[in-house]
Amino acid sequence: MLDQACRQVQRWHASAERSSPLSVAINISGRQLGHPRLVEDLAAVLADTSIDPSLVELEITESVLMDDVEMSADTLGRLHALGVHLAVDDFGTGYSSLSYLRRFPVDILKVDQSFVDGLGEDSSDSAIVTAIITLAHTLGLRAVAEGVESALQLGELRRLGCDRAQGFQWPARPAATTSASCSPPTVPGSRRQRSGS
């Protein structure tokens, strides 16, 4: 999937006439994270496609990271050295300790959709989202909200200072491709594609 996603970004850039480049977010499974050649394989794909590593975001769920903390920290460090962005996906739904979060060289905390659902209507969801955004910013990370489906949710996220959002709130949807499933733009004015593993 890494190879397919990076090659799709390469094709988008070859055919696109836009001022801002498209990037891709790729979900990484526990099996992939533990693969001994993950870093080397990604480095080879990046070199072969000549895409800017900063246009690639690898998303790893909180629970996968906690399966083997030492291995996760080592692998994430080597991936980060390639220049790709690393995101903790579904943050707040797992069982990670905040002390472990400091050890992982991640760039982004992704607020799970289950917390975004009640924004503006449920005070508990709003409090949790506020706490995650504050934690991310305090650690020097970006906060991204998943599953934004209403103007009310988007307005609340803007008020709370969330850095980015992704979901079906945006009417423009990129054309589907054969190698990656596409999602709406994450920020008005820019587009980010998401590919599953």
Side-chain angles (χ1 to χ4, degrees):
M1 182 53 80
L2 290 171
D3 181 71
Q4 290 178 342
C6 290
R7 291 189 188 287
Q8 183 59 53
V9 171
Q10 182 185 42
R11 285 191 291 273
W12 283 328
H13 290 176
S15 64
E17 295 179 9
R18 63 183 77 246
S19 58
S20 60
L22 291 170
S23 57
V24 67
I26 306 165
N27 292 311
I28 300 294
S29 68
R31 181 181 54 79
Q32 289 172 310
L33 188 65
H35 193 282
R37 291 202 41 86
L38 172 65
V39 178
E40 292 78 8
D41 289 348
L42 179 57
V45 170
L46 290 171
D48 190 44
T49 58
S50 300
I51 64 170
D52 181 346
S54 69
L55 297 177
V56 176
E57 178 183 304
L58 302 180
E59 299 181 354
I60 306 102
T61 63
E62 190 177 356
S63 56
V64 164
L65 290 174
M66 297 308 296
D67 281 345
D68 184 338
V69 172
E70 295 301 322
M71 181 276 297
S72 294
D74 176 66
T75 302
L76 292 182
R78 294 187 299 131
L79 289 167
H80 201 261
L82 294 177
V84 299
H85 292 287
L86 301 171
V88 179
D89 202 11
D90 304 333
F91 186 77
T93 61
Y95 303 99
S96 68
S97 164
L98 295 181
S99 65
Y100 286 125
L101 186 58
R102 293 183 309 173
R103 295 183 56 193
F104 299 137
V106 297
D107 306 291
I108 299 160
L109 290 185
K110 299 193 82 172
V111 183
D112 188 69
Q113 180 176 357
S114 63
F115 303 126
V116 174
D117 283 343
L119 272 180
E121 298 173 353
D122 183 318
S123 61
S124 295
D125 282 345
S126 295
I128 291 170
V129 172
T130 299
I132 294 172
I133 292 170
T134 301
L135 174 64
H137 292 165
T138 301
L139 294 174
L141 308 176
R142 293 188 308 275
V144 177
E146 298 181 288
V148 180
E149 297 182 353
S150 73
L152 177 62
Q153 292 168 341
L154 182 59
E156 281 295 296
L157 290 165
R158 284 181 172 147
R159 185 183 67 76
L160 295 173
C162 191
D163 300 295
R164 289 192 336 228
Q166 56 188 142
F168 292 104
Q169 170 58 33
W170 292 272
R173 302 202 52 193
T177 66
T178 56
S179 65
S181 60
C182 299
S183 65
T186 58
V187 179
S190 71
R191 294 190 176 187
R192 182 174 200 83
Q193 314 308 318
R194 182 170 180 170
S195 175
S197 57

